[in-house]
Amino acid sequence: MTAPLRPTTPVAIVGAGPVGLALALGLARHGVDSVVLERNPTTSAHSKAAGIHVRTRDALRRWGIEDRFLAAGHLVTDLVLHDAGRQDHALFHLDFRRLEDEVHRPGLLVLEQSETERLLLEAVRETARCEVVFGAEVTDLEPHEDGVRVRFRREGEGPPDGLMDAEYVVGCDGASSTVRDVIGAGFEGRTYRLRPMLADVAVHDARDDLPWPRLVDRRAGPGGLTAGLRLRRGLWRIIHLTTRTDGPDDVPDEEVQRRVDAVLGEGPVDVVWSSRFRIHRRSSPRFRHGRILLAGDAAHVHSPVGGQGMNAGIQDASSLAWQLAGAVGGDDADRLLDAYDAERRAVVGGVSRFTDALTRVYLQAPRWLRRTVFTVQRSALRIPAVHRRALRRMAMLDLRLPASPLVDRADRAAGTRLPDPLLIAPDGCERRLHQLLPVGPALVRVGGETDDPPNGGDEADVEAVIRIGPGGHHDPSGLLRGLTGGDDGWVLVRPDGCVAWARSDC
């Protein structure tokens, strides 16, 4: 017999993908209950988005589950793109270890989306603060003064139709979002004239040890790229890019085999999954509609180049979780949720422009231009400052919040990510700064003799005060002094790891 759902909840989340589950976990960490409604019978079984960037792992660390992800995936610290058509010649090289001064365990974590969803669902259920309901399709939303009435259709035993009242509803139900359609939110943008093929294939021979990622680009003109990425031992993701936009979504195994032969070499493989899809660049003009909010692909979709779409969505959830927790039952809801709308729209706009530029150069440009770009990039990345900027952009570390109801860009470092330098504790042990951060807001005291925070930094509003300097931790990197602009100062850190402000005592 299907268990009855609770009739009311502070937050109803529509969609149990990575974004919806991440939001449920973030809310639970802030002490807020939620219900997740997912129309499918279970989480995804496919690999889909397979890369997790440093900025996303910051959130997983705050929620206490990063180690699970690192154990399940493969952390790539030295990323070399190999040209399979030229004896694995290096097209470019990114050494994430250069970020060790501001990042703990830098690198790109390769992990199938099915595993990401499994680990998030496991963590959500452990909190006992969220009910995840599969086979429950939301059909309508009725906003009212005190919340939103959610109508849904439930499969299996029990009542086929249901009602639930929530203070807030968040649509995390993907690019074809029912929530977005029900509230009439726009989804502006365009569709690229590309239709890539994706396939996951099992490789059982020596080709499994080939260096990766790798690509082959044999045709003059756009659409001639085939790439390969090893997801885990014995399983490869094959990507073929074409300007063809017609034809069925199904991909014959014979076509997959041709692409495998091109990028890995000839030999049999087992096709686990394959599909053709379209690439879009779209965004809703607003992520907040009263008590209904949008996050992840329901709010914005981007080109998959750079692997930043799912990451941006989980970062939406990281930001929204603490802002929504403050709004539930609080008297500052409009300020908090308007800030979410303004901040995330601006940030994902930057992500969209970045992935669009990569798409135009790497997917739509003719072969000769791609080759020229690779040559120029290879030379430019030999310059340390250029290499570092490229690493920070790829890892999403350089994303900065705009001015919002919670961010005054006139304050030093406001909206930037708090760096995570290696600190020396008073007992001589080494610790990373982020290990000392609570789930909620924190103050970092840099140097100084007094413990009286400046105006706007009332200790009653924070969960911890972390001392860097006399009587506290030592920061050999000097990154925190760089934030305050002097030897003595204060840094207010938001629950999402962003700097609210940094001020000097001088």
Side-chain angles (χ1 to χ4, degrees):
M1 199 63 189
T2 304
L5 290 179
R6 63 183 76 169
T8 63
T9 182
V11 181
I13 301 169
V14 184
V19 179
L21 293 172
L23 177 59
L25 180 59
L27 287 169
R29 291 290 188 258
H30 288 285
V32 176
D33 292 348
S34 64
V35 172
V36 178
L37 301 171
E38 168 57 54
R39 64 184 176 185
N40 292 313
T42 185
T43 55
S44 175
H46 299 306
S47 60
K48 295 183 181 179
I52 300 178
H53 290 297
V54 169
R55 192 65 174 267
T56 305
R57 286 197 285 119
D58 283 349
L60 301 178
R61 188 181 312 116
R62 286 192 299 275
W63 297 333
I65 60 170
E66 183 195 20
D67 286 343
R68 303 184 193 185
F69 282 75
L70 290 168
H74 175 69
L75 186 65
V76 178
T77 59
D78 202 25
L79 183 65
V80 181
L81 180 61
H82 302 270
D83 188 341
R86 296 169 61 193
Q87 292 76 50
D88 290 334
H89 171 73
L91 291 169
F92 68 77
H93 172 208
L94 289 174
D95 184 359
F96 287 99
R97 293 168 295 187
R98 298 189 184 198
L99 297 175
E100 285 181 338
D101 60 336
E102 62 172 318
V103 170
H104 184 40
R105 294 180 290 203
L108 173 67
L109 180 62
V110 178
L111 182 67
E112 300 156 67
Q113 184 173 320
S114 55
E115 278 294 285
T116 294
E117 294 185 16
R118 181 186 68 80
L119 291 170
L120 285 170
L121 178 60
E122 175 184 84
V124 167
R125 285 176 167 163
E126 288 172 0
T127 69
R129 301 208 70 130
C130 177
E131 190 173 0
V132 182
V133 186
F134 291 100
E137 181 179 7
V138 171
T139 58
D140 198 14
L141 302 172
E142 300 172 6
H144 52 82
E145 184 177 354
D146 299 321
V148 182
R149 174 155 290 184
V150 182
R151 295 185 180 273
F152 58 93
R153 182 183 305 113
R154 196 173 184 187
E155 297 180 356
E157 297 180 0
D161 298 305
L163 292 174
M164 177 184 298
D165 284 309
E167 289 186 51
Y168 295 94
V169 172
V170 186
C172 303
D173 49 343
S176 301
S177 170
T178 297
V179 172
R180 193 185 62 239
D181 289 345
V182 167
I183 63 178
F187 207 41
E188 301 166 357
R190 65 188 184 87
T191 301
Y192 292 93
R193 290 188 56 79
L194 291 164
R195 201 160 182 230
M197 179 213 81
L198 287 186
D200 290 349
V201 299
V203 179
H204 307 291
D205 53 34
R207 291 172 298 169
D208 193 36
D209 294 318
L210 288 169
W212 57 274
R214 56 197 293 108
L215 65 79
V216 61
D217 185 9
R218 291 177 176 169
R219 290 174 49 194
L225 280 173
T226 304
L229 168 72
R230 196 175 76 185
L231 301 175
R232 55 179 160 84
R233 175 63 67 177
L235 184 68
W236 284 71
R237 161 73 54 80
I238 304 299
I239 309 163
H240 180 69
L241 304 168
T242 176
T243 54
R244 175 184 172 186
T245 58
D246 59 350
D249 290 341
D250 294 337
V251 184
D253 286 357
E254 296 79 9
E255 181 180 346
V256 175
Q257 185 66 59
R258 289 198 302 273
R259 308 309 176 196
V260 170
D261 292 347
V263 75
L264 299 183
E266 295 184 0
V269 297
D270 295 327
V271 180
V272 177
W273 167 81
S274 64
S275 182
R276 253 185 282 268
F277 66 100
R278 300 184 188 278
I279 298 178
H280 307 274
R281 181 190 181 190
R282 299 184 184 278
S283 180
S284 180
R286 288 186 296 151
F287 293 1
R288 182 196 179 196
H289 301 258
R291 290 178 174 265
I292 301 172
L293 301 107
L294 301 172
D297 284 357
H300 51 85
V301 293
H302 323 284
S303 166
V305 181
Q308 305 213 336
M310 180 188 73
N311 286 269
I314 294 176
Q315 291 165 38
D316 288 348
S318 172
S319 179
L320 181 56
W322 73 270
Q323 291 164 325
L324 196 52
V328 170
D331 57 5
D332 203 18
D334 285 336
R335 181 168 172 262
L336 288 164
L337 300 182
D338 283 347
Y340 166 77
D341 177 58
E343 292 171 3
R344 294 311 300 172
R345 278 193 295 109
V347 168
V348 299
V351 172
S352 181
R353 288 188 293 274
F354 173 67
T355 58
D356 180 65
L358 293 181
T359 301
R360 291 176 182 275
V361 170
Y362 294 129
L363 306 192
Q364 293 185 315
R367 182 176 182 270
W368 67 266
L369 180 55
R370 283 196 291 266
R371 292 290 176 180
T372 301
V373 169
F374 282 132
T375 300
V376 171
Q377 282 186 334
R378 195 161 53 247
S379 298
L381 289 173
R382 296 191 182 102
I383 303 170
V386 174
H387 198 129
R388 188 178 186 87
R389 282 197 297 272
L391 289 169
R392 298 191 83 250
R393 179 72 279 273
M394 183 60 68
M396 307 179 80
L397 297 177
D398 66 345
L399 298 177
R400 185 175 182 179
L401 302 179
S404 80
L406 299 180
V407 175
D408 183 352
R409 287 289 291 268
D411 280 318
R412 287 187 59 88
T416 61
R417 170 190 180 264
L418 180 75
D420 190 19
L422 185 65
L423 305 177
I424 309 300
D427 60 4
C429 293
E430 295 181 340
R431 293 185 178 89
R432 288 280 179 170
L433 174 58
H434 285 199
Q435 291 178 292
L436 306 176
L437 294 176
V439 173
L443 271 171
V444 179
R445 177 53 159 147
V446 181
E449 298 297 330
T450 68
D451 289 331
D452 296 327
N455 292 336
D458 185 354
E459 291 187 34
D461 296 329
V462 300
E463 294 184 9
V465 178
I466 302 165
R467 173 172 282 283
I468 309 297
H473 294 76
H474 173 55
D475 172 24
S477 73
L479 289 173
L480 300 176
R481 291 191 299 276
L483 288 179
T484 61
D487 291 337
D488 302 327
W490 294 86
V491 181
L492 179 61
V493 186
R494 301 174 8 151
D496 56 6
C498 290
V499 175
W501 48 253
R503 296 171 186 169
S504 172
D505 283 346
C506 302

